[in-house]
Amino acid sequence: MELDKIKRTWVEVDLDAIEHNFKAIKSHICESKICCVVKADGYGHGANKLAELYSNLGADFFAVSNIDEALELRFSGIKEPVLILGYTPVALADKLAQFDITQAVYSLEYATLLSEQAVKTGATIDVHIKIDTGMSRIGFMCQSFPRDNASIDEIEKVCNLPNLNPCGIMAHFAVSDEGEDGREYTGKQLDALKFTVEELKKRDLEFPLVHHANSGAVEYYKETHLSMVRAGIILYGLLPNPALGSAINLKPAMTFKTQVAHVKKLREGSSVSYGRTFVADKDMVVATVPVGYADGYFRDFSNEGYMLVNGKKAKILGRVCMDQTIIDVTDIEDVKIGTEVVIFSGGEDGAPTPSSLAKLAGTINYEIVCAVSKRVPRVYMRNGKVVDVMYKL
């Protein structure tokens, strides 16, 4: 399949890099099971395609945000356990059971409602107990003992509710991506989980899976790996904190590309785009590329960012529009309609990276890749060749 027949703007996902990352992480975590986090459409890379690859490589578990994402995996043929990390309306209890989807339960109230609905429909639902060791988001409060001893009693009640099968217990780290600065608090969180597990064990409650490690913990804190880890951003070759470097040899998998739609001469004094925030101080050559904030290229990059054209940096001129952006190609040779433009890549070619763009936008690399919109097709590559294309329009 030829790329010029695909679309105006596209993302290339390197499946060789994805496979490399999975194997590198698997080697790093030794005996722990690996739960591949594919929420948010696989962090923008395409959940179905990558879940299929992870499954073939030996993934033990998958994690998603909600039941829609879980069902999408099931309908695409994924057989491994799928864990919903967030809220599912209790009215959908029968769907959880029907499609063998594991649900996180994070309060006695929610677990009771889920149990009652499961009893009504004759369903039995696998659940993981979600505890709060310091994130203060969702979960049974287990941050400090003996202050939070009541949560142990509540978890025991949940484990005895009818039609719920507690097969895991979990928590989430808040600062595991801050290296030594996060070590003390991360250790405190880990101790809280271990204490909770031991207290429940005294009540004859044990869980096949105990997991706390997110990508930062996988990278920097081996003692947190326990029986399973939840690998997210690192599967896609991006670091939870680029400033810390990586303990694992990762390869960025996503390259965002577009092509030149129009080239024109700009005269001195001409203004560019909405608001006239750029005015040419000399004659220039500019190119319009068909990508904008509706594709996931942030308006924050107006007059700040650059794209790579024929191996050279082309500065963004004026405001990024919804569907188009204007770049300076004055000093770049052989630019014409159809010339390929790199919006971001792993950086080895001199293009911006998700991390460098995140710095411009005051955000994190997670948001940059997740923001690439559904109208941008994902093009899957092996050995530099197109092997599949995913459209979501």
Side-chain angles (χ1 to χ4, degrees):
M1 186 177 298
E2 297 176 29
L3 283 176
D4 61 2
K5 294 181 180 179
I6 292 172
K7 229 177 181 185
R8 61 186 185 102
T9 298
W10 67 98
V11 154
E12 294 176 9
V13 179
D14 185 346
L15 297 180
D16 294 316
I18 293 289
E19 181 171 341
H20 167 88
N21 295 336
F22 180 93
K23 290 178 177 178
I25 295 164
K26 189 65 178 170
S27 176
H28 183 72
I29 62 176
C30 300
E31 299 302 318
S32 301
K33 293 181 182 295
I34 183 169
C35 174
C36 296
V37 183
V38 292
K39 62 182 180 176
D41 197 31
Y43 292 55
H45 293 68
N48 292 349
K49 185 70 177 180
L50 298 194
E52 178 186 15
L53 176 56
Y54 297 144
S55 176
N56 291 337
L57 292 171
D60 301 292
F61 233 95
F62 290 96
V64 295
S65 168
N66 55 62
I67 194 168
D68 293 325
E69 292 179 341
L71 291 175
E72 186 176 1
L73 291 185
R74 285 288 182 251
F75 295 155
S76 72
I78 294 301
K79 304 298 183 185
E80 287 79 10
V82 177
L83 169 65
I84 295 176
L85 298 169
Y87 171 70
T88 297
V90 295
L92 297 175
D94 59 329
K95 293 295 183 185
L96 293 171
Q98 179 185 352
F99 292 98
D100 192 23
I101 298 167
T102 304
Q103 175 62 46
V105 294
Y106 41 81
S107 72
L108 179 57
E109 178 187 16
Y110 177 66
T112 300
L113 292 171
L114 192 64
S115 169
E116 289 172 352
Q117 186 66 23
V119 169
K120 285 180 184 177
T121 59
T124 298
I125 301 168
D126 287 345
V127 299
H128 283 203
I129 307 297
K130 176 64 179 290
I131 70 170
D132 174 9
T133 60
M135 187 74 172
S136 298
R137 193 166 57 179
I138 60 173
F140 293 89
M141 184 64 79
C142 295
Q143 295 185 9
S144 179
F145 297 97
R147 184 198 69 187
D148 296 332
N149 280 349
S151 292
I152 305 295
D153 297 330
E154 290 186 342
I155 294 170
E156 181 179 19
K157 290 176 182 177
V158 169
C159 291
N160 289 310
L161 287 172
N163 294 57
L164 297 185
N165 176 32
C167 50
I169 187 167
M170 60 184 287
H172 193 72
F173 287 119
V175 292
S176 63
D177 59 351
E178 295 185 11
E180 287 303 313
D181 290 340
R183 182 169 295 280
E184 181 179 353
Y185 195 74
T186 297
K188 181 181 177 182
Q189 286 193 262
L190 180 61
D191 288 344
L193 173 64
K194 288 181 175 179
F195 179 86
T196 303
V197 169
E198 286 303 312
E199 288 300 302
L200 291 168
K201 188 175 181 180
K202 292 175 184 176
R203 305 184 188 199
D204 295 323
L205 295 171
E206 296 190 60
F207 304 90
L209 290 173
V210 180
H211 50 113
H212 205 321
N214 52 8
S215 286
V218 171
E219 278 271 10
Y220 310 120
Y221 301 102
K222 278 205 167 189
E223 67 273 19
T224 69
H225 293 179
L226 308 177
S227 58
M228 186 166 75
V229 305
R230 300 187 306 273
I233 196 74
I234 55 176
L235 281 169
Y236 311 98
L238 299 175
L239 302 182
N241 185 343
L244 293 178
S246 180
I248 308 170
N249 178 23
L250 301 173
K251 296 181 179 180
M254 181 185 286
T255 302
F256 193 8
K257 292 183 176 181
T258 186
Q259 54 187 291
V260 171
H262 182 54
V263 181
K264 69 166 63 172
K265 291 181 179 179
L266 195 68
R267 298 305 183 188
E268 181 181 351
S270 298
S271 60
V272 175
S273 195
Y274 294 113
R276 304 183 66 234
T277 60
F278 177 85
V279 178
D281 60 1
K282 61 182 179 180
D283 289 351
M284 305 175 69
V285 180
V286 301
T288 301
V289 292
V291 63
Y293 57 79
D295 301 290
Y297 190 71
F298 295 176
R299 203 164 178 263
D300 303 74
F301 307 141
S302 301
N303 291 306
E304 294 290 338
Y306 70 92
M307 298 181 189
L308 203 69
V309 182
N310 292 338
K312 295 183 178 180
K313 295 180 180 181
K315 190 178 186 302
I316 307 302
L317 301 180
R319 288 181 180 160
V320 173
C321 306
M322 181 182 288
D323 314 299
Q324 299 179 87
T325 300
I326 301 161
I327 57 177
D328 180 6
V329 295
T330 304
D331 298 321
I332 303 175
E333 296 179 356
D334 197 28
V335 180
K336 56 185 181 293
I337 292 176
T339 296
E340 186 174 278
V341 177
V342 182
I343 300 166
F344 69 69
S345 70
E348 63 287 337
D349 54 0
T353 66
S355 295
S356 68
L357 290 177
K359 189 172 182 179
L360 272 182
T363 185
I364 55 176
N365 54 19
Y366 296 65
E367 186 176 358
I368 299 299
V369 291
C370 287
V372 180
S373 73
K374 302 297 185 187
R375 77 180 187 181
V376 177
R378 273 59 172 174
V379 179
Y380 295 98
M381 314 288 290
R382 280 282 196 185
N383 298 316
K385 295 182 179 179
V386 179
V387 294
D388 200 4
V389 181
M390 181 184 296
Y391 297 94
K392 286 215 169 182
L393 284 180

mmCIF file of all heavy atoms in Angstrom, residues 346-389:
data_model
loop_
_atom_site.group_PDB
_atom_site.id
_atom_site.type_symbol
_atom_site.label_atom_id
_atom_site.label_comp_id
_atom_site.label_asym_id
_atom_site.label_seq_id
_atom_site.Cartn_x
_atom_site.Cartn_y
_atom_site.Cartn_z
ATOM 1 N N GLY A 346 10.459 10.032 16.841
ATOM 2 C CA GLY A 346 11.292 9.690 17.991
ATOM 3 C C GLY A 346 12.439 10.657 18.188
ATOM 4 O O GLY A 346 13.118 10.619 19.205
ATOM 5 N N GLY A 347 12.676 11.527 17.211
ATOM 6 C CA GLY A 347 13.680 12.575 17.338
ATOM 7 C C GLY A 347 15.006 12.295 16.681
ATOM 8 O O GLY A 347 15.837 13.190 16.529
ATOM 9 N N GLU A 348 15.213 11.062 16.237
ATOM 10 C CA GLU A 348 16.500 10.713 15.653
ATOM 11 C C GLU A 348 16.739 11.428 14.321
ATOM 12 O O GLU A 348 17.874 11.576 13.875
ATOM 13 C CB GLU A 348 16.612 9.194 15.455
ATOM 14 C CG GLU A 348 15.612 8.579 14.491
ATOM 15 C CD GLU A 348 14.193 8.499 15.019
ATOM 16 O OE1 GLU A 348 14.015 8.501 16.264
ATOM 17 O OE2 GLU A 348 13.255 8.430 14.197
ATOM 18 N N ASP A 349 15.668 11.897 13.675
ATOM 19 C CA ASP A 349 15.788 12.590 12.398
ATOM 20 C C ASP A 349 15.855 14.108 12.551
ATOM 21 O O ASP A 349 15.936 14.841 11.568
ATOM 22 C CB ASP A 349 14.614 12.212 11.486
ATOM 23 C CG ASP A 349 13.254 12.456 12.147
ATOM 24 O OD1 ASP A 349 13.228 12.908 13.303
ATOM 25 O OD2 ASP A 349 12.229 12.173 11.497
ATOM 26 N N GLY A 350 15.808 14.589 13.782
ATOM 27 C CA GLY A 350 15.825 16.022 14.014
ATOM 28 C C GLY A 350 14.451 16.653 14.136
ATOM 29 O O GLY A 350 14.322 17.859 14.354
ATOM 30 N N ALA A 351 13.416 15.831 13.999
ATOM 31 C CA ALA A 351 12.051 16.327 14.138
ATOM 32 C C ALA A 351 11.708 16.557 15.609
ATOM 33 O O ALA A 351 12.389 16.035 16.506
ATOM 34 C CB ALA A 351 11.073 15.321 13.531
ATOM 35 N N PRO A 352 10.668 17.328 15.886
ATOM 36 C CA PRO A 352 10.195 17.424 17.266
ATOM 37 C C PRO A 352 9.813 16.036 17.784
ATOM 38 O O PRO A 352 9.538 15.115 17.006
ATOM 39 C CB PRO A 352 8.962 18.327 17.158
ATOM 40 C CG PRO A 352 9.139 19.071 15.875
ATOM 41 C CD PRO A 352 9.862 18.132 14.960
ATOM 42 N N THR A 353 9.794 15.878 19.084
ATOM 43 C CA THR A 353 9.337 14.641 19.725
ATOM 44 C C THR A 353 8.095 14.945 20.554
ATOM 45 O O THR A 353 7.821 16.119 20.856
ATOM 46 C CB THR A 353 10.419 14.074 20.651
ATOM 47 O OG1 THR A 353 10.612 14.991 21.745
ATOM 48 C CG2 THR A 353 11.738 13.869 19.914
ATOM 49 N N PRO A 354 7.341 13.934 20.945
ATOM 50 C CA PRO A 354 6.214 14.191 21.852
ATOM 51 C C PRO A 354 6.650 14.930 23.115
ATOM 52 O O PRO A 354 5.933 15.802 23.614
ATOM 53 C CB PRO A 354 5.691 12.785 22.164
ATOM 54 C CG PRO A 354 5.995 12.005 20.925
ATOM 55 C CD PRO A 354 7.344 12.529 20.478
ATOM 56 N N SER A 355 7.833 14.627 23.606
ATOM 57 C CA SER A 355 8.313 15.289 24.826
ATOM 58 C C SER A 355 8.684 16.751 24.582
ATOM 59 O O SER A 355 8.405 17.618 25.410
ATOM 60 C CB SER A 355 9.505 14.526 25.406
ATOM 61 O OG SER A 355 9.105 13.232 25.836
ATOM 62 N N SER A 356 9.314 17.031 23.446
ATOM 63 C CA SER A 356 9.680 18.428 23.170
ATOM 64 C C SER A 356 8.437 19.269 22.901
ATOM 65 O O SER A 356 8.355 20.430 23.316
ATOM 66 C CB SER A 356 10.660 18.518 21.999
ATOM 67 O OG SER A 356 10.059 18.155 20.768
ATOM 68 N N LEU A 357 7.446 18.697 22.227
ATOM 69 C CA LEU A 357 6.201 19.415 22.001
ATOM 70 C C LEU A 357 5.433 19.599 23.309
ATOM 71 O O LEU A 357 4.806 20.638 23.536
ATOM 72 C CB LEU A 357 5.333 18.672 20.977
ATOM 73 C CG LEU A 357 5.848 18.688 19.540
ATOM 74 C CD1 LEU A 357 4.938 17.857 18.642
ATOM 75 C CD2 LEU A 357 5.960 20.113 19.004
ATOM 76 N N ALA A 358 5.504 18.593 24.164
ATOM 77 C CA ALA A 358 4.844 18.698 25.468
ATOM 78 C C ALA A 358 5.418 19.866 26.265
ATOM 79 O O ALA A 358 4.690 20.597 26.940
ATOM 80 C CB ALA A 358 4.994 17.393 26.247
ATOM 81 N N LYS A 359 6.717 20.040 26.182
ATOM 82 C CA LYS A 359 7.358 21.148 26.905
ATOM 83 C C LYS A 359 6.847 22.488 26.390
ATOM 84 O O LYS A 359 6.589 23.421 27.168
ATOM 85 C CB LYS A 359 8.873 21.050 26.743
ATOM 86 C CG LYS A 359 9.654 22.005 27.626
ATOM 87 C CD LYS A 359 11.150 21.727 27.550
ATOM 88 C CE LYS A 359 11.927 22.671 28.474
ATOM 89 N NZ LYS A 359 13.385 22.396 28.418
ATOM 90 N N LEU A 360 6.675 22.610 25.066
ATOM 91 C CA LEU A 360 6.141 23.834 24.484
ATOM 92 C C LEU A 360 4.727 24.120 24.973
ATOM 93 O O LEU A 360 4.345 25.266 25.204
ATOM 94 C CB LEU A 360 6.116 23.734 22.956
ATOM 95 C CG LEU A 360 7.340 24.147 22.152
ATOM 96 C CD1 LEU A 360 7.044 24.003 20.672
ATOM 97 C CD2 LEU A 360 7.765 25.567 22.479
ATOM 98 N N ALA A 361 3.942 23.043 25.116
ATOM 99 C CA ALA A 361 2.528 23.189 25.475
ATOM 100 C C ALA A 361 2.292 23.180 26.974
ATOM 101 O O ALA A 361 1.155 23.338 27.418
ATOM 102 C CB ALA A 361 1.715 22.068 24.811
ATOM 103 N N GLY A 362 3.360 22.985 27.754
ATOM 104 C CA GLY A 362 3.199 22.935 29.195
ATOM 105 C C GLY A 362 2.445 21.713 29.658
ATOM 106 O O GLY A 362 1.652 21.753 30.606
ATOM 107 N N THR A 363 2.690 20.576 29.005
ATOM 108 C CA THR A 363 1.987 19.346 29.352
ATOM 109 C C THR A 363 2.980 18.190 29.369
ATOM 110 O O THR A 363 4.176 18.386 29.579
ATOM 111 C CB THR A 363 0.814 19.101 28.385
ATOM 112 O OG1 THR A 363 0.069 17.946 28.814
ATOM 113 C CG2 THR A 363 1.261 18.923 26.943
ATOM 114 N N ILE A 364 2.497 16.958 29.189
ATOM 115 C CA ILE A 364 3.342 15.769 29.205
ATOM 116 C C ILE A 364 3.191 15.009 27.886
ATOM 117 O O ILE A 364 2.205 15.183 27.163
ATOM 118 C CB ILE A 364 2.991 14.842 30.391
ATOM 119 C CG1 ILE A 364 1.498 14.464 30.378
ATOM 120 C CG2 ILE A 364 3.374 15.503 31.706
ATOM 121 C CD1 ILE A 364 1.077 13.480 31.460
ATOM 122 N N ASN A 365 4.172 14.160 27.593
ATOM 123 C CA ASN A 365 4.153 13.445 26.308
ATOM 124 C C ASN A 365 2.929 12.549 26.140
ATOM 125 O O ASN A 365 2.475 12.309 25.028
ATOM 126 C CB ASN A 365 5.448 12.649 26.100
ATOM 127 C CG ASN A 365 5.777 11.706 27.233
ATOM 128 O OD1 ASN A 365 4.940 11.333 28.050
ATOM 129 N ND2 ASN A 365 7.045 11.297 27.305
ATOM 130 N N TYR A 366 2.371 12.064 27.260
ATOM 131 C CA TYR A 366 1.153 11.260 27.199
ATOM 132 C C TYR A 366 0.059 12.010 26.413
ATOM 133 O O TYR A 366 -0.642 11.436 25.580
ATOM 134 C CB TYR A 366 0.584 11.018 28.602
ATOM 135 C CG TYR A 366 1.394 10.231 29.582
ATOM 136 C CD1 TYR A 366 2.611 10.691 30.061
ATOM 137 C CD2 TYR A 366 0.903 9.029 30.091
ATOM 138 C CE1 TYR A 366 3.326 9.981 31.015
ATOM 139 C CE2 TYR A 366 1.601 8.305 31.050
ATOM 140 C CZ TYR A 366 2.819 8.782 31.504
ATOM 141 O OH TYR A 366 3.519 8.075 32.454
ATOM 142 N N GLU A 367 -0.110 13.286 26.759
ATOM 143 C CA GLU A 367 -1.197 14.059 26.143
ATOM 144 C C GLU A 367 -0.952 14.274 24.660
ATOM 145 O O GLU A 367 -1.887 14.277 23.860
ATOM 146 C CB GLU A 367 -1.364 15.400 26.855
ATOM 147 C CG GLU A 367 -2.564 16.183 26.372
ATOM 148 C CD GLU A 367 -2.821 17.477 27.133
ATOM 149 O OE1 GLU A 367 -2.074 17.765 28.094
ATOM 150 O OE2 GLU A 367 -3.765 18.189 26.755
ATOM 151 N N ILE A 368 0.292 14.448 24.273
ATOM 152 C CA ILE A 368 0.616 14.701 22.864
ATOM 153 C C ILE A 368 0.188 13.521 21.990
ATOM 154 O O ILE A 368 -0.454 13.699 20.952
ATOM 155 C CB ILE A 368 2.119 14.989 22.689
ATOM 156 C CG1 ILE A 368 2.529 16.247 23.480
ATOM 157 C CG2 ILE A 368 2.465 15.133 21.206
ATOM 158 C CD1 ILE A 368 1.840 17.518 23.056
ATOM 159 N N VAL A 369 0.521 12.301 22.389
ATOM 160 C CA VAL A 369 0.173 11.144 21.553
ATOM 161 C C VAL A 369 -1.305 10.786 21.680
ATOM 162 O O VAL A 369 -1.933 10.363 20.704
ATOM 163 C CB VAL A 369 1.072 9.923 21.866
ATOM 164 C CG1 VAL A 369 2.490 10.194 21.401
ATOM 165 C CG2 VAL A 369 1.054 9.551 23.349
ATOM 166 N N CYS A 370 -1.869 10.953 22.875
ATOM 167 C CA CYS A 370 -3.299 10.645 23.045
ATOM 168 C C CYS A 370 -4.176 11.631 22.282
ATOM 169 O O CYS A 370 -5.311 11.303 21.920
ATOM 170 C CB CYS A 370 -3.688 10.678 24.524
ATOM 171 S SG CYS A 370 -3.088 9.288 25.501
ATOM 172 N N ALA A 371 -3.660 12.833 22.045
ATOM 173 C CA ALA A 371 -4.470 13.885 21.420
ATOM 174 C C ALA A 371 -4.610 13.723 19.914
ATOM 175 O O ALA A 371 -5.490 14.348 19.310
ATOM 176 C CB ALA A 371 -3.861 15.251 21.724
ATOM 177 N N VAL A 372 -3.772 12.906 19.290
ATOM 178 C CA VAL A 372 -3.897 12.726 17.835
ATOM 179 C C VAL A 372 -5.279 12.159 17.551
ATOM 180 O O VAL A 372 -5.642 11.082 18.022
ATOM 181 C CB VAL A 372 -2.795 11.807 17.286
ATOM 182 C CG1 VAL A 372 -2.962 11.642 15.781
ATOM 183 C CG2 VAL A 372 -1.416 12.370 17.599
ATOM 184 N N SER A 373 -6.074 12.877 16.794
ATOM 185 C CA SER A 373 -7.506 12.594 16.725
ATOM 186 C C SER A 373 -7.846 11.378 15.878
ATOM 187 O O SER A 373 -7.019 10.843 15.133
ATOM 188 C CB SER A 373 -8.250 13.820 16.208
ATOM 189 O OG SER A 373 -8.028 14.002 14.819
ATOM 190 N N LYS A 374 -9.101 10.970 16.008
ATOM 191 C CA LYS A 374 -9.574 9.761 15.329
ATOM 192 C C LYS A 374 -9.565 9.916 13.810
ATOM 193 O O LYS A 374 -9.529 8.924 13.088
ATOM 194 C CB LYS A 374 -10.996 9.418 15.789
ATOM 195 C CG LYS A 374 -11.138 9.197 17.287
ATOM 196 C CD LYS A 374 -10.335 8.025 17.779
ATOM 197 C CE LYS A 374 -10.607 7.764 19.253
ATOM 198 N NZ LYS A 374 -9.721 6.722 19.809
ATOM 199 N N ARG A 375 -9.628 11.165 13.322
ATOM 200 C CA ARG A 375 -9.670 11.322 11.864
ATOM 201 C C ARG A 375 -8.310 11.126 11.217
ATOM 202 O O ARG A 375 -8.197 11.117 9.984
ATOM 203 C CB ARG A 375 -10.257 12.682 11.507
ATOM 204 C CG ARG A 375 -9.344 13.882 11.656
ATOM 205 C CD ARG A 375 -10.095 15.138 11.255
ATOM 206 N NE ARG A 375 -9.245 16.316 11.205
ATOM 207 C CZ ARG A 375 -9.691 17.535 10.901
ATOM 208 N NH1 ARG A 375 -10.968 17.704 10.643
ATOM 209 N NH2 ARG A 375 -8.864 18.568 10.865
ATOM 210 N N VAL A 376 -7.284 10.986 12.026
ATOM 211 C CA VAL A 376 -5.945 10.708 11.509
ATOM 212 C C VAL A 376 -5.752 9.193 11.440
ATOM 213 O O VAL A 376 -5.757 8.522 12.469
ATOM 214 C CB VAL A 376 -4.867 11.335 12.412
ATOM 215 C CG1 VAL A 376 -3.475 10.983 11.910
ATOM 216 C CG2 VAL A 376 -5.053 12.844 12.503
ATOM 217 N N PRO A 377 -5.594 8.606 10.254
ATOM 218 C CA PRO A 377 -5.422 7.155 10.168
ATOM 219 C C PRO A 377 -4.099 6.699 10.779
ATOM 220 O O PRO A 377 -3.099 7.411 10.716
ATOM 221 C CB PRO A 377 -5.458 6.864 8.665
ATOM 222 C CG PRO A 377 -5.104 8.153 8.018
ATOM 223 C CD PRO A 377 -5.589 9.241 8.921
ATOM 224 N N ARG A 378 -4.139 5.514 11.389
ATOM 225 C CA ARG A 378 -2.925 4.898 11.927
ATOM 226 C C ARG A 378 -2.403 3.911 10.896
ATOM 227 O O ARG A 378 -3.123 2.992 10.483
ATOM 228 C CB ARG A 378 -3.217 4.180 13.241
ATOM 229 C CG ARG A 378 -3.127 5.059 14.490
ATOM 230 C CD ARG A 378 -4.057 6.249 14.485
ATOM 231 N NE ARG A 378 -4.055 6.931 15.782
ATOM 232 C CZ ARG A 378 -4.690 8.064 16.036
ATOM 233 N NH1 ARG A 378 -5.402 8.664 15.082
ATOM 234 N NH2 ARG A 378 -4.638 8.606 17.236
ATOM 235 N N VAL A 379 -1.171 4.116 10.501
ATOM 236 C CA VAL A 379 -0.535 3.278 9.488
ATOM 237 C C VAL A 379 0.502 2.413 10.196
ATOM 238 O O VAL A 379 1.435 2.931 10.815
ATOM 239 C CB VAL A 379 0.146 4.154 8.408
ATOM 240 C CG1 VAL A 379 0.819 3.278 7.363
ATOM 241 C CG2 VAL A 379 -0.880 5.083 7.759
ATOM 242 N N TYR A 380 0.341 1.100 10.096
ATOM 243 C CA TYR A 380 1.217 0.185 10.826
ATOM 244 C C TYR A 380 2.336 -0.302 9.923
ATOM 245 O O TYR A 380 2.107 -0.727 8.789
ATOM 246 C CB TYR A 380 0.400 -0.976 11.394
ATOM 247 C CG TYR A 380 -0.583 -0.476 12.425
ATOM 248 C CD1 TYR A 380 -1.910 -0.235 12.089
ATOM 249 C CD2 TYR A 380 -0.164 -0.172 13.720
ATOM 250 C CE1 TYR A 380 -2.803 0.277 13.019
ATOM 251 C CE2 TYR A 380 -1.047 0.340 14.660
ATOM 252 C CZ TYR A 380 -2.353 0.563 14.307
ATOM 253 O OH TYR A 380 -3.224 1.091 15.236
ATOM 254 N N MET A 381 3.557 -0.232 10.473
ATOM 255 C CA MET A 381 4.761 -0.498 9.698
ATOM 256 C C MET A 381 5.520 -1.699 10.259
ATOM 257 O O MET A 381 5.592 -1.892 11.478
ATOM 258 C CB MET A 381 5.693 0.718 9.725
ATOM 259 C CG MET A 381 5.025 2.063 9.471
ATOM 260 S SD MET A 381 4.504 2.309 7.778
ATOM 261 C CE MET A 381 6.092 2.489 6.952
ATOM 262 N N ARG A 382 6.093 -2.486 9.371
ATOM 263 C CA ARG A 382 7.039 -3.555 9.710
ATOM 264 C C ARG A 382 8.193 -3.458 8.736
ATOM 265 O O ARG A 382 7.977 -3.417 7.512
ATOM 266 C CB ARG A 382 6.383 -4.941 9.588
ATOM 267 C CG ARG A 382 5.512 -5.352 10.749
ATOM 268 C CD ARG A 382 6.338 -5.830 11.926
ATOM 269 N NE ARG A 382 5.549 -6.565 12.911
ATOM 270 C CZ ARG A 382 6.025 -7.004 14.065
ATOM 271 N NH1 ARG A 382 7.299 -6.800 14.370
ATOM 272 N NH2 ARG A 382 5.259 -7.641 14.912
ATOM 273 N N ASN A 383 9.404 -3.399 9.258
ATOM 274 C CA ASN A 383 10.588 -3.300 8.403
ATOM 275 C C ASN A 383 10.468 -2.154 7.404
ATOM 276 O O ASN A 383 10.878 -2.268 6.243
ATOM 277 C CB ASN A 383 10.820 -4.626 7.656
ATOM 278 C CG ASN A 383 11.082 -5.773 8.597
ATOM 279 O OD1 ASN A 383 11.839 -5.647 9.552
ATOM 280 N ND2 ASN A 383 10.426 -6.906 8.347
ATOM 281 N N GLY A 384 9.861 -1.045 7.851
ATOM 282 C CA GLY A 384 9.747 0.128 7.009
ATOM 283 C C GLY A 384 8.657 0.067 5.961
ATOM 284 O O GLY A 384 8.540 0.974 5.135
ATOM 285 N N LYS A 385 7.839 -0.993 5.990
ATOM 286 C CA LYS A 385 6.789 -1.143 4.984
ATOM 287 C C LYS A 385 5.412 -1.160 5.648
ATOM 288 O O LYS A 385 5.245 -1.647 6.762
ATOM 289 C CB LYS A 385 6.996 -2.441 4.190
ATOM 290 C CG LYS A 385 8.280 -2.448 3.361
ATOM 291 C CD LYS A 385 8.410 -3.732 2.566
ATOM 292 C CE LYS A 385 9.690 -3.725 1.722
ATOM 293 N NZ LYS A 385 9.839 -4.993 0.960
ATOM 294 N N VAL A 386 4.420 -0.629 4.924
ATOM 295 C CA VAL A 386 3.055 -0.596 5.437
ATOM 296 C C VAL A 386 2.470 -2.004 5.448
ATOM 297 O O VAL A 386 2.498 -2.714 4.433
ATOM 298 C CB VAL A 386 2.171 0.326 4.569
ATOM 299 C CG1 VAL A 386 0.735 0.334 5.081
ATOM 300 C CG2 VAL A 386 2.730 1.737 4.544
ATOM 301 N N VAL A 387 1.939 -2.415 6.611
ATOM 302 C CA VAL A 387 1.315 -3.733 6.703
ATOM 303 C C VAL A 387 -0.176 -3.648 7.018
ATOM 304 O O VAL A 387 -0.912 -4.605 6.814
ATOM 305 C CB VAL A 387 2.012 -4.627 7.754
ATOM 306 C CG1 VAL A 387 3.427 -4.947 7.330
ATOM 307 C CG2 VAL A 387 1.996 -3.978 9.132
ATOM 308 N N ASP A 388 -0.632 -2.488 7.499
ATOM 309 C CA ASP A 388 -2.053 -2.334 7.810
ATOM 310 C C ASP A 388 -2.348 -0.858 8.023
ATOM 311 O O ASP A 388 -1.454 -0.065 8.338
ATOM 312 C CB ASP A 388 -2.412 -3.133 9.070
ATOM 313 C CG ASP A 388 -3.908 -3.410 9.182
ATOM 314 O OD1 ASP A 388 -4.655 -3.054 8.265
ATOM 315 O OD2 ASP A 388 -4.330 -4.007 10.201
ATOM 316 N N VAL A 389 -3.611 -0.493 7.845
ATOM 317 C CA VAL A 389 -4.050 0.873 8.075
ATOM 318 C C VAL A 389 -5.362 0.820 8.849
ATOM 319 O O VAL A 389 -6.249 0.024 8.538
ATOM 320 C CB VAL A 389 -4.276 1.642 6.756
ATOM 321 C CG1 VAL A 389 -4.720 3.088 7.042
ATOM 322 C CG2 VAL A 389 -3.023 1.633 5.909
#
